[in-house]
């Protein structure tokens, strides 16, 4: 069976958001399953010494300009949030929970999109648990059941495992698309992944 | 008159090398002049706190893999040099001198290509002045005249001005392609620049 496309991302990542709006078309075109895998970039950066792009001298202003430019190119709505970066741990736990529940798993993509758009289009506070529950309810996830799940040890552990797995697999940034061991890092690489699948690698 | 494409680069930059092999086709397609502008990434990194990609945890191994993968995609010969990174100040002074001499300026592109290929294909020591003179002689630049020029105060100053100008313009990495104030950073962005010129921006 063909490898799925694993889409590793953080909700605070502008390029992750942009890629999230484009990756499904690539997966569909090549008949690949898509797996949404949230990580905590803050935890990864502790291991790698990485830092948010926007905080780097010179690279910061360039990045802010490029987020908006890259969005415009693809006709994706985008507004840099005033509060940035954010951890949004509950939002990520919600994704892991929904993805892991057979009855809810088909809502995972919708929840990811709703959360990303809430942050990068509407400027909502996705670190707020009530907002997370609202977004989940909007895609058909029961609010009270999710509220309980967000406190579950198993759900917390599941997100921790995502981060550990990311580090083991060599994922150091968002978005990173993995096809087996082959990693494609960055929004720019959505196109490369598309060509890779088209040509069967090179 | 239309802005030229300024191609800011360091000879130690693998992505700069890959982009250098692709940028002329873009400039020709859109009828733009191409200006080769060497910088000292080491000096820029002192200002920005940047570091060579290959030295970053996790990002290092990914980058080494990606240099070769990106080269293969475009059919560009590439071998990661054993000695890396390098300063190659004399090689950059040679470019600035040749570019600034009306009788030699049309050899600039050939000298850039010869130097990049010597390093990233043949693994030659481009920090060695004799190698620089050999490469320049190979594209029709008088060896002895260049040897003298490399010691000239004016040539040294000209390279220093390149670096200062880069920092003033917001150039923090290699390659950076500038179209007026619009910067495109990275080999991935050769394609974006191409589309930008095609559409007249967006």
């Amino acid at each position: 069976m063909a490898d799925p496309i694993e889409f590793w991302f953080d909700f605070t990542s502008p390029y992750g958001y942009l890629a999230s709006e484009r990756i499904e078309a690539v997966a569909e075109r090549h008949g690949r399953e898509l797996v949404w895998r949230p990580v905590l970039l803050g935890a990864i950066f502790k291991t790698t010494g990485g830092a948010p792009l926007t905080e780097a001298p010179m690279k910061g202003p360039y990045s802010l300009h490029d987020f908006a430019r890259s969005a415009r190119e693809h006709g994706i709505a985008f507004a840099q949030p005033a509060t940035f970066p954010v951890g949004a741990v509950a939002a990520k736990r919600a994704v892991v929970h929904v993805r892991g529940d057979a009855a809810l798993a088909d809502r995972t993509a919708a929840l990811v999109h709703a959360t990303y758009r809430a942050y990068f289009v509407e400027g909502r506070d996705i670190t707020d648990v009530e907002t997370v529950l609202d977004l989940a309810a909007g895609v058909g996830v029961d609010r009270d059941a999710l509220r309980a799940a967000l406190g579950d040890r198993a759900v917390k552990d599941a997100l921790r495992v995502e981060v550990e797995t990311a580090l083991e697999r060599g994922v150091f940034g968002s978005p990173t698309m993995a096809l087996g061991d082959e990693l494609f890092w960055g929004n720019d690489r959505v196109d490369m992944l598309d060509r890779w699948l088209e040509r069967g690698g090179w």
Side-chain angles (χ1 to χ4, degrees), chain A:
Chain A
M1 180 150 153
D3 287 320
I5 299 171
E6 296 169 72
F7 187 84
W8 297 91
F9 68 98
D10 190 304
F11 279 128
T12 199
S13 161
Y15 290 129
Y17 161 62
L18 297 179
S20 76
E21 296 283 338
R22 303 169 60 216
I23 192 63
E24 282 167 312
V26 174
E28 276 165 33
R29 184 155 45 244
H30 303 285
R32 299 287 179 134
E33 189 197 347
L34 189 56
V35 185
W36 300 95
R37 306 201 71 168
V39 293
L40 303 172
L41 270 188
I44 289 178
F45 286 172
K46 271 181 199 156
T47 297
T48 63
L53 269 175
T54 51
E55 293 175 12
M58 298 179 71
K59 203 184 275 194
Y62 173 85
S63 298
L64 288 169
H65 177 73
D66 190 64
F67 299 158
R69 175 175 68 179
S70 297
R72 286 199 311 277
E73 174 172 16
H74 296 286
I76 300 170
F78 176 84
Q80 177 66 18
T83 303
F84 179 91
V86 293
V89 176
K92 293 163 191 171
R93 285 185 185 144
V95 170
V96 167
H97 169 68
V98 167
R99 192 189 67 196
D101 183 320
L104 297 176
D106 64 353
R107 320 281 162 93
T108 311
L111 179 59
V112 170
H113 291 313
T115 307
Y116 256 141
R117 290 169 191 164
Y119 185 52
F120 282 112
V121 180
E122 300 158 39
R124 290 167 69 185
D125 178 9
I126 61 166
T127 68
D128 176 58
V129 172
E130 297 306 318
T131 301
V132 171
L133 297 176
D134 287 347
L135 293 168
V139 302
V141 176
D142 184 80
R143 216 184 142 85
D144 292 331
L146 180 59
R147 188 193 302 274
L150 291 181
D152 277 357
R153 179 101 215 152
V155 172
K156 292 181 180 178
D157 284 347
L159 180 57
R160 229 188 318 265
V161 167
E162 288 290 271
V163 174
E164 285 163 13
T165 305
L167 286 167
E168 283 163 19
R169 296 275 298 280
V171 172
F172 55 84
S174 167
T176 297
M177 292 143 285
L179 202 65
D181 290 336
E182 198 73 27
L183 304 182
F184 300 85
W185 168 49
N187 177 46
D188 291 310
R189 294 311 174 81
V190 173
D191 294 328
M192 185 192 254
L193 170 62
D194 192 21
R195 298 190 299 266
W196 181 274
L197 287 164
E198 186 71 36
R199 291 170 56 177
W202 55 75

